[in-house]
Amino acid sequence: MSLHFDDRPRPRSSSPMADATLAERVVHATSGLLGRRQSRRSFLTKTAVVGSALAVNPWGYILRPGTAYGAVCANCDDGFTAFCCTINSGRNSCPPNSFVAGWWKADNTAYCCGSARYIIDCNATCPTSCSCRCSGASCDNRRVCCNQFRYGQCHQEIACYGPVVCRVATCTPPWLYDPSCTTASATDNRTASHGATCLPDNCATAIARLHNSLGGAAGVLGPVTRTERSTADGSGRYALYRNGSIFQRDGASPHAMQGAIDDHYARLGYHRSALGYPVTSQTPVGTADGGVFNRFENGVIYATFAVGTFEVLGAIRSVHSGTGGVRGPLGYPTTGEIGWHDGIGRYQYFQGGGIWATFTTGAHWLGDRMNGKYRALHGPDAAIGYPTTDPTTVVGGRLARFQRGTLYDHTAGAITALHGRTEEKYRQLGEHGGLLKWPTTDVRSLGPGYRTDFEQGSILYRPGLAVAEVHGVILVKWDATGSYLGPLGWPTSDVITLPDGTGRQSRFERGAVYYQPGQGTWEVHGPIHDRYRALAGTAGPLGYPRSDVVPVGSLYRCDFERGRLTYDPATGVVSGP
Amino acid sequence: MRLSAFGITTDLPAGWEGRITKRVTPGQHGVARSRGTPGEVPNPVVHLANFALPEQRGDFGSGAVELMGAGHLFITLFEYGPESVGQALFAARGIPTLRASMFNPAALQRAVAGQAGCQRWFTAASRAFCAYVVLGRHTEAPALVPHANVVLRATRISPR
């Protein structure tokens, strides 16, 4: 196989190497060659030095790999100043009695993953006792305190200065490294390959390469604030930056968090949180609100300006995703996941509702109206307990089942909660598809019992008695007589059709209400009702009532189709046919 | 020969050549990220020499100074941004006039045997500059420095 490169103009191409320099193309081709004989990791760990050697002397290095050392390292007579890490106890920073005095860059360097590398001069303070010498280091045996030269972009308020003590090499733009530096750019590409064994290899790891691909120190993450290192539990690696972080689980790819999402991830405890490690870098949701998200091993963090930044985890996340995520009816989270005070359930609110979960019921979502109702009922503290289903769309509305009840959301009406024996009765009656249609109230206390109203009737229940539905004119009559406080007391039966097939009746604790089409609705109670029933009621000689039981003087009287019954409280006698 | 660009004009004596350039601005459309970081501000750089300048040069003469012979002169005028005007480093006014005694073998960006350099900071027309002059041979300073002053005197700087 032969290598062939030249510097003649080339036609434009979509190849990533189309506009590359000679050195870049050699690196590219070499990576392909060597990649077949050694692992990618092994090759990449060497790219800084190899790349530097190639940048200086690509042909020499390709043909004679042993020359890499000579291409990067230098002796005192090469005329340049040593790196600070060589003379400053390994620290890549200005030593005492020196100051950041100026900078230049070398473009397109392997040290910075193909980006510009910045060299910052540390000049001696003035006056100085620093005298010219060689560093004595094996690879970076360059000059120390010899070159009385200044690039001049930094600390321009200092006019008196000594020689360059040493040089800092960094991928961080100098004006970010030291705010005293201006952005006035100077370039010397011949220094791109200058190296020292103590210099950080800014391109050795996947985290460094990701940081660089995001613009490096001048990019979205900004300069490093905590250098790359292993996590305390040894499960991965991370680095922190001014505007974000990068985390990488061992064996997986690194991913970056930025801004609000990174702040939130930090508050939760980074990879030690329930979220675990990131599995994507920050990604736009693609909605008009400018929302962004990061996926993690066990959840997602969403951030928007309007709503804030919250995580969605585990079973709640599964339900949220199942509804379409932030593009679905629930939208963005507006809280984190919160434990209910019973220690059993957990919940989270969203723009369009909420999700409630327990170990036994699973996680289920409620839309905005239902969730609002549920919250108004004090959530799981309510009689209906935790939801056991997601909302189901039915004709005219939606419903969701709970441990001990149901929430009914009538599109054209109210949203109501039914529970216990009332809900049981309603379901037996066919719910919204039955005669009562949609509920218009929750189950409400009424004296010693409960009452629930519907579009076409009510369900009434007093413990110890049957649960009864009452509707139509009979319900109107019962209400008109004072409901349970009236002479009839609580209902003991549903509205039933009488044997003649035309009239209807509801029975109550102390009487009944009768309806005959065209003849009105009448209540009959007390001893008169007892006598009427003994006479076979509507099927007997009296026929249907034609009046309520009414007081007449000291007596009570009730008229019927074919007669009258009168009750004398003084004697306890009911007289009539 | 007259060179003029970016508000800087110079009349070069016979046997001299020069360039007045400004590098591409990182972050602009079409400029590769490998060419620096958005936010960097390239400013005009003047290179004047009495020898053939190579095309690839560092802003302070690397690549060129290595080619210098005993009688050669290399002059750089490197401009800084407007934020530098008024700083102590640039307190001197006007393009400097040099003396042989100002040159020192240590005053070089990169030490090259036999050479000597001189670096002066100044403000002209409300613009901040560094003048960096390299002599091909330090011992020739008495003969070379007057030539450098001729070129510097023939250089005029206008406001931005």
Side-chain angles (χ1 to χ4, degrees):
Chain A
M1 177 179 290
S2 64
L3 295 172
H4 176 76
F5 297 116
D6 64 43
D7 283 324
R8 289 173 295 178
R10 292 159 182 267
R12 294 189 67 81
S13 159
S14 59
S15 164
M17 300 307 293
D19 298 323
T21 64
L22 173 62
E24 288 173 308
R25 281 179 269 132
V26 171
V27 170
H28 184 72
T30 307
S31 67
L33 288 172
L34 299 182
R36 300 185 193 104
R37 296 197 295 269
Q38 55 183 297
S39 73
R40 175 177 170 77
R41 183 181 182 85
S42 171
F43 177 74
L44 289 174
T45 57
K46 299 173 183 173
T47 52
V49 171
V50 172
S52 300
L54 288 166
V56 165
N57 184 7
W59 291 113
Y61 181 67
I62 290 295
L63 299 174
R64 292 176 283 108
T67 62
Y69 177 92
V72 174
C73 300
N75 291 317
C76 208
D77 59 2
D78 89 332
F80 284 103
T81 301
F83 287 99
C84 292
C85 64
T86 298
I87 64 162
N88 191 26
S89 303
R91 288 187 288 272
N92 185 32
S93 59
C94 291
N97 302 314
S98 69
F99 67 101
V100 172
W103 63 271
W104 77 93
K105 71 176 168 68
D107 295 328
N108 192 21
T109 65
Y111 276 102
C112 294
C113 315
S115 294
R117 181 198 200 195
Y118 297 91
I119 307 292
I120 298 170
D121 275 343
C122 300
N123 283 67
T125 53
C126 177
T128 180
S129 58
C130 186
S131 57
C132 181
R133 62 185 173 87
C134 300
S135 77
S138 59
C139 175
D140 184 31
N141 187 23
R142 294 186 174 93
R143 296 154 68 91
V144 177
C145 292
C146 297
N147 295 359
Q148 181 66 36
F149 184 86
R150 182 173 177 182
Y151 264 87
Q153 298 100 323
C154 309
H155 283 296
Q156 293 173 339
E157 78 283 6
I158 301 174
C160 181
Y161 55 93
V164 182
V165 178
C166 59
R167 300 183 288 169
V168 172
T170 177
C171 303
T172 300
W175 61 93
L176 298 176
Y177 178 88
D178 185 326
S180 80
C181 297
T182 74
T183 57
S185 175
T187 300
D188 184 356
N189 289 324
R190 290 175 181 266
T191 60
S193 65
H194 287 190
T197 54
C198 57
L199 280 176
D201 189 343
N202 295 297
C203 204
T205 68
I207 287 178
R209 289 192 293 277
L210 176 57
H211 179 235
N212 205 271
S213 72
L214 294 170
V220 293
L221 294 178
V224 66
T225 56
R226 183 176 296 178
T227 54
E228 181 179 337
R229 63 194 67 187
S230 292
T231 56
D233 60 8
S235 60
R237 295 180 65 76
Y238 74 102
L240 305 183
Y241 306 90
R242 181 181 295 169
N243 304 318
S245 63
I246 297 177
F247 277 76
Q248 177 186 25
R249 180 181 281 286
D250 280 348
S253 298
H255 298 286
M257 281 63 62
Q258 304 168 32
I261 287 182
D262 184 63
D263 292 344
H264 196 73
Y265 191 43
R267 278 196 296 276
L268 294 174
Y270 288 124
H271 68 291
R272 297 183 303 276
S273 70
L275 286 165
Y277 283 88
V279 297
T280 68
S281 288
Q282 186 165 305
T283 306
V285 172
T287 51
D289 53 29
V292 292
F293 70 94
N294 271 78
R295 290 192 198 287
F296 297 82
E297 291 169 322
N298 305 311
V300 185
I301 295 178
Y302 293 100
T304 64
F305 285 116
V307 178
T309 305
F310 299 100
E311 79 284 5
V312 186
L313 293 163
I316 288 180
R317 176 201 178 193
S318 297
V319 171
H320 184 237
S321 297
T323 62
V326 295
R327 293 174 181 274
L330 288 170
Y332 287 96
T334 56
T335 69
E337 185 176 315
I338 302 168
W340 193 250
H341 63 79
D342 60 5
I344 297 171
R346 301 187 69 77
Y347 69 100
Q348 184 164 9
Y349 294 144
F350 296 81
Q351 288 174 302
I355 297 177
W356 301 80
T358 70
F359 184 75
T360 54
T361 61
H364 300 285
W365 70 281
L366 299 173
D368 198 29
R369 273 167 56 95
M370 280 193 175
N371 198 55
K373 177 71 178 183
Y374 190 48
R375 290 175 67 176
L377 294 171
H378 306 292
D381 290 347
I384 57 177
Y386 284 94
T388 57
T389 70
D390 296 332
T392 302
T393 299
V394 296
V395 176
R398 298 162 74 83
L399 60 85
R401 304 293 185 200
F402 287 69
Q403 288 173 303
R404 296 179 294 275
T406 301
L407 272 182
Y408 295 92
D409 182 1
H410 183 204
T411 304
I415 178 163
T416 51
L418 271 57
H419 64 274
R421 297 195 62 183
T422 299
E423 186 231 9
E424 187 179 306
K425 180 74 177 181
Y426 182 54
R427 292 178 71 170
Q428 288 170 359
L429 293 170
E431 296 184 294
H432 57 282
L435 62 91
L436 295 175
K437 304 303 178 187
W438 287 89
T440 58
T441 69
D442 298 334
V443 177
R444 296 175 296 165
S445 293
L446 181 68
Y450 302 94
R451 174 173 180 162
T452 307
D453 292 332
F454 298 82
E455 289 179 306
Q456 297 188 7
S458 296
I459 291 178
L460 297 146
Y461 166 57
R462 177 178 178 174
L465 300 177
V467 183
E469 68 81 13
V470 185
H471 66 273
V473 292
I474 293 178
L475 179 63
V476 172
K477 189 69 178 182
W478 183 66
D479 280 332
T481 62
S483 71
Y484 79 98
L485 295 174
L488 292 166
W490 286 88
T492 58
S493 77
D494 294 341
V495 175
I496 56 175
T497 300
L498 292 167
D500 64 6
T502 58
R504 292 199 294 274
Q505 174 201 44
S506 278
R507 290 178 183 157
F508 296 84
E509 288 177 293
R510 295 183 291 274
V513 174
Y514 297 87
Y515 163 74
Q516 184 180 26
Q519 298 299 326
T521 307
W522 309 106
E523 65 86 11
V524 185
H525 70 274
I528 291 178
H529 186 248
D530 295 341
R531 176 71 174 171
Y532 179 54
R533 286 189 67 187
L535 293 169
T538 57
L542 291 171
Y544 279 89
R546 286 290 183 262
S547 75
D548 294 335
V549 174
V550 294
V552 179
S554 60
L555 305 178
Y556 290 89
R557 188 179 79 196
C558 183
D559 295 332
F560 296 86
E561 271 185 278
R562 294 182 289 275
R564 171 182 294 167
L565 291 176
T566 303
Y567 169 58
D568 182 352
T571 63
V573 174
V574 177
S575 58
Chain B
M1 179 178 64
R2 170 165 291 186
L3 292 178
S4 185
F6 307 115
I8 303 169
T9 302
T10 188
D11 292 307
L12 293 174
W16 282 68
E17 65 173 75
R19 309 279 192 280
I20 304 175
T21 59
K22 188 162 77 168
R23 295 182 187 271
V24 295
T25 301
Q28 284 190 337
H29 181 69
V31 178
R33 201 167 62 81
S34 61
R35 302 289 297 275
T37 304
E40 279 181 42
V41 181
N43 292 298
V45 178
V46 181
H47 284 170
L48 308 173
N50 61 356
F51 60 95
L53 287 170
E55 283 308 304
Q56 299 299 319
R57 304 181 306 279
D59 287 340
F60 281 90
S62 70
V65 296
E66 292 86 349
L67 305 177
M68 292 174 72
H72 289 155
L73 274 163
F74 175 80
I75 298 173
T76 291
L77 292 177
F78 182 91
E79 185 172 8
Y80 295 81
E83 68 279 5
S84 299
V85 175
Q87 295 285 350
L89 189 61
F90 301 95
R93 299 287 172 183
I95 298 174
T97 298
L98 307 177
R99 298 186 304 276
S101 61
M102 294 176 176
F103 285 82
N104 187 325
L108 292 167
Q109 183 231 8
R110 176 191 186 184
V112 176
Q115 294 183 358
C118 172
Q119 199 175 21
R120 287 291 181 272
W121 313 86
F122 65 94
T123 300
S126 297
R127 298 169 67 174
F129 284 87
C130 174
Y132 175 56
V133 181
V134 179
L135 307 179
R137 181 166 294 171
H138 188 198
T139 55
E140 299 293 324
L144 293 175
V145 172
H147 292 291
N149 282 330
V150 167
V151 173
L152 290 172
R153 277 196 298 273
T155 301
R156 294 170 297 283
I157 296 171
S158 305
R160 275 181 185 257

